[in-house]
Amino acid sequence: SQQGEEDPQALSIQEGENATMNCSYKTSINNLQWYRQNSGRGLVHLILIRSNEREKHSGRLRVTLDTSKKSSSLLITASRAADTASYFCAPRGAQKLVFGQGTRLTINP
Amino acid sequence: SAVISQKPSRDICQRGTSLTIQCQVDSQVTMMFWYRQQPGQSLTLIATANQGSEATYESGFVIDKFPISRPNLTFSTLTVSNMSPEDSSIYLCSVEGETDTQYFGPGTRLTVL
């Protein structure tokens, strides 16, 4: 299916460390978007990477996309307590985004 | 980017009643989307709402339960009808911007007793 599947489901690291989350999907996509959600609130858009792009940066975020492997990764460098949240990848096919179950990231002080 | 507001932000309702959620966007958009997020779960697309046409519902969602209106290019409503405790969720609307980025509203947290 188009749905993204994140791995790991939960990740706990120390403040200052890097966090890597992975996403896999099964069908062709136009783009893939990453979102953050704090404690059941609205989703914050982090980054969009198009199917013809391999890597994209935004501040402390780095996203890669490998369409041959149908996978993407989100790297957060120098993590902060405020990065504690759930992170979702959402592959976009022809008409819609389909969300995976997300990765719950906890940053320990 | 698009700025999206939703009303109400939260509500507690009795079973058997209906609630209408409003979504307002600060710019004209073609497609608006309604999602549901059940407790501890991911987002599930309910329907896509285009202005001037009937909403397109995803598998498992029907118009009688979730009627949607889209009277213009900046506004939409989702009604949750004949509610049961299983409808307790966060309901989010979203729009797609010019750069294909999809933006989300702050959500409506619904609790059904």
Side-chain angles (χ1 to χ4, degrees):
Chain A
S1 71
Q2 182 187 311
Q3 180 177 358
E5 297 180 4
E6 290 91 343
D7 171 61
Q9 293 184 356
L11 179 62
S12 180
I13 61 174
Q14 296 300 119
E15 193 168 15
E17 295 180 339
N18 296 341
T20 299
M21 289 158 272
N22 301 298
C23 171
S24 61
Y25 57 93
K26 295 182 179 179
T27 63
S28 62
I29 60 172
N30 294 330
N31 62 65
L32 187 145
Q33 303 183 41
W34 285 90
Y35 292 85
R36 183 185 74 226
Q37 185 178 41
N38 293 84
S39 301
R41 298 178 184 174
L43 269 70
V44 174
H45 186 269
L46 296 177
I47 200 164
L48 179 154
I49 187 165
R50 300 188 183 280
S51 60
N52 61 353
E53 297 175 313
R54 293 296 168 259
E55 186 172 314
K56 207 164 181 180
H57 297 256
S58 178
R60 294 184 295 114
L61 306 180
R62 172 178 171 256
V63 168
T64 64
L65 179 65
D66 187 335
T67 53
S68 67
K69 295 181 179 179
K70 292 186 168 55
S71 66
S72 176
S73 68
L74 170 67
L75 168 67
I76 303 174
T77 60
S79 63
R80 305 168 180 169
D83 295 328
T84 293
S86 292
Y87 291 82
F88 296 91
C89 74
R92 193 195 191 285
Q95 289 292 326
K96 60 189 181 183
L97 292 181
V98 182
F99 285 79
Q101 291 301 307
T103 293
R104 175 66 190 170
L105 175 64
T106 301
I107 309 299
N108 301 305
Chain B
S1 65
V3 177
I4 304 169
S5 59
Q6 285 186 233
K7 290 181 181 180
S9 59
R10 59 178 62 227
D11 207 342
I12 301 173
C13 301
Q14 297 297 319
R15 70 170 66 209
T17 63
S18 297
L19 176 71
T20 295
I21 302 168
Q22 299 179 7
C23 178
Q24 180 76 50
V25 189
D26 68 343
S27 58
Q28 294 185 341
V29 294
T30 302
M31 291 196 292
M32 296 179 77
F33 306 88
W34 286 99
Y35 287 82
R36 179 178 73 182
Q37 186 177 28
Q38 294 177 302
Q41 301 296 312
S42 184
L43 282 75
T44 302
L45 181 63
I46 298 172
T48 301
N50 292 331
Q51 193 270 335
S53 63
E54 294 287 330
T56 302
Y57 289 82
E58 297 298 307
S59 175
F61 298 96
V62 295
I63 187 171
D64 289 346
K65 176 67 176 177
F66 297 100
I68 289 171
S69 77
R70 183 75 202 277
N72 58 52
L73 291 174
T74 63
F75 187 79
S76 178
T77 67
L78 169 75
T79 298
V80 186
S81 303
N82 189 26
M83 289 183 287
S84 66
E86 292 71 33
D87 293 320
S88 296
S89 298
I90 299 173
Y91 292 86
L92 302 104
C93 71
S94 74
V95 303
E96 190 167 76
E98 293 180 351
T99 58
D100 297 335
T101 298
Q102 196 160 328
Y103 300 98
F104 283 80
T108 295
R109 184 181 293 271
L110 171 63
T111 302
V112 184
L113 303 177

